[in-house]
Amino acid sequence: MTLIFDEEKQEKRLDELHYQEAEELAQVLSGRYQLPYADLSKTSINADALRLVPEAESKAANLVAFRTIGKKLSLGILSPNNDKLKDIIADLEQKNFTVTLYIVSQASLDWAWERYSEVLATKKTEAGMIDISNEHIAAFLKDFKKLEDVRVMILSESIRVSKEGGISTILEIILSGALALEASDVHIEPEETDIRLRYRIDGVLQDVVDFDPKIYRPILSRLKLVSGLKLNVKQSAQDGRFSINAGSDVDIEIRTSVIPGAYGESIVMRVLNPKSIETTFNNLGIPTDLYEIFSREIHKPNGLVLLTGPTGSGKTTTLYSFLREVNSTESKIITIEDPIEYHLKGINQTQVNRAKGYTFLSGLRSALRQDPDVIMVGEIRDSETAKIAINSALTGHLVFSTLHTNNAAGAIPRLIDLGVNAKIISSALTLSIAQRLVRKLCPVCKVEENLTGQDKEHILAVIASIKKRRPDYVPPQTVKTWGPGKCEKCNNTGYKGRQGIFEAIVMDDSIAKASVLNPNERDLRLASIPQGILDMRQDGIVKVLEGSTSLRELSRVIDLYEEII
């Protein structure tokens, strides 16, 4: 029998034993000195705390500052019997810090000291905020006119970083580029040979640049630090946030999501710019006749208004515009959101916290005890929430919420599936809305296209279905459409900005009768035809014929060829 000695495996085992012994010794010393014990390899090292004691002094005194909350500072030490330690504590107390000592092992200190290199070139953070100077942001926003400008700047800076170090500037460029191009998300994705950077602009991901993997780790560390994530956690998903001070009165919140991948941790930063939801109710792009219906229904003293559509379809913007429209000094509005994406003045916004038992259900129950006039529930997910929302609408409250269905007609069968009595839906539900977002054609470079073949036949069939709802309807024209071109104004995509396409069903006698007969979506859509409200496909085709979007873009977000009703 041949024995194989695996030297690498044995060395790893010895290292683990030495680490375990070191931690056990630190725990023994913790009891002897009556001080708490900490394993820093399992603790998030705070960059601001680390900077309070310079690296040289930290190593000379065998200590490390690893956490700070306000003026409370946590200090990891090998032993309290150290003259240099006393001097450092005295200096910190003179700066009004309250110091708490923890006994740590030498391995913990070594691990924490490695973090100095990761934060050496970063700017100081205050309460999780990256401070981008007015001069920097003004310069970047002035320079970034198109996607290519951002690409060139990032490539240039990544080359400099690879040679000289420092990472703050490249992050400022990435984030400022996202702001300048009005991106909703920033994606940093490690691949086999490089790192891929993409922006989501007008709902579609666009490649920005592939850069050197050497600068990925410091970017990741910097983002984790400012987002309040743990540096040493690499195999689990983490979520955090920070704010950008873009030289204005309004801070822009960045939501950071990090998940493990095959070649490293993938980063997505969602840019929550308050300017993106400043659209008022009368500027949503809703057709005039539908706008009048929405306005009438949301100003009623009670009832349930449901908004449906997938993630990214603009539901939050529409809901917030409704809340702004009904907000007044005479009414109390409470929201239960997951999470609070934007803060609205004069509205009591609360955030779901499942860890502490505050869910949509418990939040709605609590909100009802606050004597509200209007309640916004971020999403109806279960039977209990659905029933309480319905009962709230029946007892004198105006309730706004969202539901997972593909169209407006699907809201009623979905409520029935959730256990709501079909007979009371008609008394509570006043309006069901569905929406999608389509990109608008760039007015500078859009290209005229003749309308022929199958496309023309289908558009004429849709127009015929519109005339069933509105006999006097006259289309803008039926001989041409427009498609995307290429120019610098739209970053060569052919599109600039987005608009909504909408449909709605109002609760009337015909819908109420259909609701109690265990209806399917098709039955309800047929029952809604006399209301004269266009469905999303019809609304989209009208916008195509008007030249505001393209047939290809419309087909990207809805099924153009489903059964025409």
Side-chain angles (χ1 to χ4, degrees), residues 179-230:
L179 292 178
L181 298 173
E182 298 181 353
S184 61
D185 302 88
V186 178
H187 293 243
I188 303 176
E189 303 159 329
E191 298 185 336
E192 187 173 5
T193 58
D194 49 32
I195 308 299
R196 187 184 192 189
L197 173 66
R198 297 192 288 174
Y199 289 156
R200 188 178 293 278
I201 301 173
D202 292 335
V204 178
L205 281 170
Q206 296 187 31
D207 285 325
V208 181
V209 70
D210 294 341
F211 55 82
D212 193 332
K214 291 180 181 178
I215 65 173
Y216 162 72
R217 184 179 175 185
I219 288 177
L220 175 62
S221 296
R222 174 63 174 159
L223 284 172
K224 282 187 172 183
L225 286 167
V226 298
S227 303
L229 306 181
K230 293 182 178 179

Side-chain angles (χ1 to χ4, degrees), residues 334-336 350 357-368 375:
I334 297 178
T335 73
I336 305 105
T350 69
Y358 189 76
T359 62
F360 284 121
L361 177 58
S362 62
L364 183 51
R365 284 173 172 162
S366 300
L368 290 171
I375 304 171

